[in-house]
Amino acid sequence: HGRSILVEVKSVNSRYFEYYARMPRSTGFLEEPLKKAVSAVVSRGKTELHLTLQNLEGASAVVNANLPVATGDYEALCQVATALRIDNDVTASTLARFSDVFTVTRSEEDQEQLTADVLGVAKRALQRYDEMRVLEGEKLREDIAGRLAGLEDMVGRVEQGSAGRLQRYTE
């Protein structure tokens, strides 16, 4: 529906289920549905979900410069440069880093359609996440089995080497 949706899921082992989401502020209404989708697949662990949205069909937002704020920021930077006797290398990109220099007005989005689209992508991401967990579990099982075999071999060598140890100690 005219947008690119990227959902990334990552987690680390933990005793309890902890959920954290990073998403655009304008999509706060998606927090609870996404948490439900994640908790349906993940029962424990610290889980992070990252949501990135990009509109492909034109601008969904209008950006305006807040010139009074930008002017005030510029004058403050000039005062600092003068007071500290340092070069004043303020550029427009320097001012753009300050908060409130730009105001963003977004067009209204169909929340139901966006929720359906995001949840569809999230469910595919969670399916891939679950597949990766199974693969990781299999690799972990193989690693533990290999280490166990090595330990059993070492125990056998210790048992062989310790046979008659008491007799040799006595002698």
Side-chain angles (χ1 to χ4, degrees):
H1 295 102
R3 64 178 67 92
S4 169
I5 301 170
L6 174 65
V7 175
E8 297 175 90
V9 180
K10 48 184 173 170
S11 71
V12 294
N13 194 17
S14 180
R15 190 172 176 183
Y16 303 104
F17 175 71
E18 294 179 49
Y19 172 77
Y20 172 74
R22 275 203 285 175
M23 58 183 64
R25 256 186 241 167
S26 62
T27 60
F29 63 92
L30 292 169
E31 179 102 27
E32 196 56 35
L34 285 171
K35 183 175 183 178
K36 284 181 183 177
V38 170
S39 65
V41 175
V42 181
S43 59
R44 55 187 287 263
K46 293 181 182 179
T47 306
E48 285 186 41
L49 182 138
H50 300 273
L51 171 65
T52 306
L53 296 173
Q54 181 180 17
N55 286 320
L56 303 175
E57 296 177 354
S60 67
V62 176
V63 180
N64 292 307
N66 189 337
L67 293 177
V69 170
T71 303
D73 289 343
Y74 177 76
E75 289 171 356
L77 288 171
C78 289
Q79 287 174 357
V80 169
T82 302
L84 298 178
R85 295 186 182 126
I86 57 176
D87 289 338
N88 186 357
D89 59 353
V90 177
T91 63
S93 60
T94 304
L95 289 172
R97 294 183 194 138
F98 287 78
S99 62
D100 299 331
V101 169
F102 293 105
T103 57
V104 179
T105 307
R106 299 198 182 276
S107 61
E108 284 297 314
E109 297 217 35
D110 182 358
Q111 287 188 357
E112 285 183 25
Q113 183 63 57
L114 182 58
T115 301
D117 292 346
V118 169
L119 286 177
V121 173
K123 287 179 182 174
R124 287 196 306 256
L126 288 164
Q127 180 181 359
R128 292 275 302 142
Y129 165 84
D130 211 29
E131 291 168 4
M132 295 301 291
R133 263 195 333 186
V134 169
L135 287 174
E136 185 179 348
E138 181 59 31
K139 287 181 182 177
L140 189 58
R141 187 195 65 73
E142 290 172 6
D143 181 54
I144 291 172
R147 290 173 189 262
L148 180 60
L151 283 172
E152 288 173 345
D153 181 53
M154 287 182 213
V155 167
R157 284 193 249 151
V158 168
E159 287 174 346
Q160 285 178 354
S162 67
R165 179 182 56 86
L166 186 57
Q167 179 66 32
R168 286 194 304 272
Y169 179 71
T170 304
E171 291 172 0

